[in-house]
Amino acid sequence: MLSHSLQYVVFVIAVFALYWAVHRHYWPRMLLLLAASLLVYVSFLQVPLSAFVGGMPVGELVVKLVPLFIFLAGVTVDHLLVKGMGRTERPGVRKLLVVLSIVSNLGLLAGFKYLELLRRTVASLLGPWGVEVRPEPFHLLLPVGLSFFVFQAISYTVDVYRGKASSEHSFVEHLLYMLFFPRVVSGPIVRASELMAHFREVPTLSSDDGNKALFRIAVGLVKKLVIADVLGSGIVDPVFGSPHAYSSAECAVAAVAYTLELYYDFSGYSDIAIGVASLFGFKFPENFARPYLAKNLFEFWNRWHMSLSSWLRDYLYIPLGGNRRSKPRVCFNLMMVMVLGGLWHGADWRFAVWGAVHGVALCGVRCWWWFRGKQQEPGPVRVALGMLATFTLVVLTRVVFRAPDMAHAGEFYARMLAGIPGLANVGPLMWSMLALAVLAHAVPMKLYDLAALAFLKLPAPARAVVLVLLGLGIRQLSTLETRPYVYLQF
């Protein structure tokens, strides 16, 4: 049930109506949100509702629901450990419990996501020496959204250990925190203090907040269906699929187009998630802040996927020592965070390479600041050069993200640098979408705020007409097939 599909729209409307009918009563609203969240997660497992009333053999149904059972087991273990931390003040016991939580969650991630990568790596390293390693793949399933679940689980237990989150939440609250349907599989990564603390409050929703939420959802749909999907199907997929059939210039345009597609795809998802959560009285953190206008790579990572960047900072970079250690140790910390952050995106060494390149670049920026000093207010020329250099690095490294393997990425780079001219395969629609993507990213946020304010001031019937016309326009411009979110694969 993708959040840009018609089924999801109907689903949200139904849950919204039921939720606000019972919102004053704690258990009815909590159980309704939990049931809705379970339904959305099960839909990603491709289990139809008819399966629960005899439409599927029990054995087959159980197999399809294994990811959910794994998830429930992980939440149960974490909940018991959190309760244990709440019942003792002994530092050694509390530390043992939080370590057990971290190890169990990382164990799930390592076992289901990285064990096959380890097998392939060991086999490739030891094979030339005549050491036989298991040749067959493990064929382990990868539970949907496991990476996001693990990060949220660790943040909750660590925050309880640090005294930044309460251990008094019920199992239902803990489960709903992990599974809340607006951001169930792709974030934003929400801290416990930003969500669980509000479960016991009676929710409110003003007319203005509701309209702002609808406007935010509409913006997200335009980003995803009009810009991201059109760029993806029109130029990114064909060129990355057969780079040898296109000119160097067209490959370069496709690399830029993919960089824009990825942003509009994921930020569109985040906008919809933030808007839907607002309809139920919850506030999610922002996840993007026009990252391609960043003047340096540090600023880029403070603007891109901010919930992940802040998680890596608070739960990995700072515990490693952050900026408080020697200069070599600071560079080591940066490299560790970026390589591990790269591997988090996928069980393939090309993601580690991508992270390492960013890590080296971040270390280079940091060393430059140590050597020359960091300018607080650089001039316009320096700002423009910084933005261009940062965007160029992001575009070039995104090729590794999009390519199925390093060999394909190498082929794409070679074709892009071959100096073959020609843009015959980039039509007017693609140029229009590229221009729209750049313009929409560059305009000041104040214009979006003014557009939202203008929407709020319209009479209710006029707002309804605007939304209907917007829906029709999206249907006309977007691709005919519903494309899944790009970030779901990570």
Side-chain angles (χ1 to χ4, degrees):
M1 196 186 299
L2 298 171
S3 63
H4 58 283
S5 66
L6 181 59
Q7 296 94 323
Y8 187 79
V9 172
V10 174
F11 169 80
V12 169
I13 292 173
V15 176
F16 177 84
L18 292 172
Y19 178 79
W20 289 105
V22 301
H23 74 282
R24 295 185 181 278
H25 308 283
Y26 172 79
W27 280 112
R29 73 170 182 266
M30 289 295 293
L31 292 176
L32 174 65
L33 289 180
L34 182 57
S37 299
L38 287 168
L39 182 60
V40 170
Y41 186 77
V42 167
S43 75
F44 279 94
L45 306 180
Q46 298 182 343
V47 179
L49 291 179
S50 60
F52 295 95
V53 290
M56 181 182 293
V58 175
E60 184 180 348
L61 176 61
V62 170
V63 170
K64 282 187 171 290
L65 291 178
V66 165
L68 178 60
F69 297 147
I70 293 170
F71 167 73
L72 293 174
V75 175
T76 301
V77 170
D78 274 341
H79 190 69
L80 293 175
L81 293 173
V82 163
K83 289 300 182 184
M85 279 190 279
R87 286 176 169 78
T88 182
E89 295 183 358
R90 296 172 62 184
V93 176
R94 287 172 58 83
K95 188 172 184 178
L96 174 62
L97 293 174
V98 74
V99 168
L100 286 175
S101 173
I102 294 171
V103 170
S104 66
N105 280 291
L106 292 181
L108 283 175
L109 193 61
F112 289 102
K113 190 169 183 177
Y114 299 107
L115 189 59
E116 177 59 22
L117 173 63
L118 178 63
R119 184 199 67 80
R120 295 198 309 267
T121 303
V122 172
S124 64
L125 291 176
L126 298 183
W129 297 91
V131 179
E132 185 176 349
V133 180
R134 174 189 171 103
E136 301 86 9
F138 288 110
H139 297 297
L140 294 174
L141 59 85
L142 178 60
V144 178
L146 180 63
S147 298
F148 283 96
F149 291 151
V150 165
F151 274 28
Q152 289 212 151
I154 291 176
S155 73
Y156 178 39
T157 54
V158 170
D159 282 355
V160 170
Y161 173 75
R162 292 172 173 173
K164 295 181 178 180
S166 172
S167 63
E168 298 305 313
H169 294 288
S170 68
F171 180 75
V172 170
E173 290 173 332
H174 192 159
L175 188 57
L176 184 57
Y177 162 68
M178 295 293 295
L179 202 62
F180 193 35
F181 74 88
R183 57 100 184 95
V184 62
V185 293
S186 290
I189 300 171
V190 184
R191 308 290 176 90
S193 58
E194 298 170 336
L195 184 58
M196 293 178 76
H198 302 293
F199 282 154
R200 298 184 185 184
E201 300 174 357
V202 177
T204 59
L205 181 68
S206 66
S207 176
D208 282 354
D209 288 340
N211 286 313
K212 288 179 181 177
L214 291 176
F215 182 83
R216 188 68 179 266
I217 293 170
V219 170
L221 289 172
V222 171
K223 285 182 175 180
K224 165 62 179 169
L225 296 174
V226 175
I227 301 178
D229 282 4
V230 172
L231 288 175
S233 62
I235 187 170
V236 175
D237 291 353
V239 177
F240 274 89
S242 303
H244 59 275
Y246 294 87
S247 69
S248 301
E250 288 165 345
C251 287
V253 170
V256 173
Y258 176 66
T259 303
L260 294 169
E261 179 199 6
L262 190 61
Y263 165 74
Y264 281 101
D265 183 276
F266 196 15
S267 69
Y269 176 97
S270 298
D271 286 337
I272 296 171
I274 292 169
V276 171
S278 296
L279 290 178
F280 293 89
F282 297 97
K283 185 177 181 180
F284 278 2
E286 294 294 334
N287 217 18
F288 294 89
R290 299 195 295 167
Y292 298 148
L293 298 183
K295 298 183 289 295
N296 58 67
L297 206 55
F298 281 97
E299 185 180 341
F300 171 80
W301 281 110
N302 286 328
R303 291 166 170 250
W304 174 271
H305 199 351
M306 294 188 291
S307 63
L308 174 62
S309 297
S310 63
W311 193 99
L312 292 171
R313 178 196 65 209
D314 294 344
Y315 300 99
L316 185 55
Y317 183 67
I318 291 177
L320 284 172
N323 300 331
R324 302 186 305 274
R325 302 295 181 89
S326 64
K327 290 180 173 62
R329 180 57 185 270
V330 170
C331 290
F332 172 81
N333 294 342
L334 286 171
M335 289 298 299
M336 283 290 293
V337 169
M338 294 312 301
V339 170
L340 292 176
L343 276 176
W344 175 84
H345 286 85
D348 194 301
W349 289 116
R350 76 180 193 274
F351 293 107
V353 171
W354 169 84
V357 172
H358 274 262
V360 170
L362 286 169
C363 290
V365 173
R366 179 69 70 182
C367 290
W368 177 259
W369 288 344
W370 286 330
F371 177 67
R372 295 293 300 270
K374 182 180 178 181
Q375 280 190 299
Q376 297 301 318
E377 296 183 5
V381 174
R382 188 179 292 272
V383 167
L385 291 175
M387 290 172 59
L388 179 61
T390 302
F391 184 69
T392 300
L393 176 67
V394 170
V395 169
L396 292 176
T397 54
R398 287 277 193 245
V399 172
V400 177
F401 249 66
R402 181 58 178 77
D405 50 52
M406 287 302 294
H408 193 95
E411 179 185 350
F412 191 94
Y413 284 129
R415 190 68 176 180
M416 186 167 58
L417 299 175
I420 303 171
L423 292 167
N425 292 296
V426 186
L429 178 59
M430 289 304 101
W431 286 121
S432 299
M433 281 300 149
L434 287 167
L436 176 61
V438 172
L439 180 63
H441 193 73
V443 296
M445 290 303 299
K446 184 179 292 187
L447 292 182
Y448 285 99
D449 296 336
L450 291 175
L453 183 61
F455 179 77
L456 290 175
K457 290 183 176 181
L458 291 174
R463 290 197 297 269
V465 170
V466 169
L467 291 176
V468 170
L469 291 176
L470 179 63
L472 293 174
I474 290 174
R475 183 68 182 83
Q476 183 68 27
L477 289 172
S478 65
T479 56
L480 295 179
E481 62 179 11
T482 300
R483 293 167 59 90
Y485 287 101
V486 176
Y487 232 77
L488 284 180
Q489 65 184 296
F490 303 133

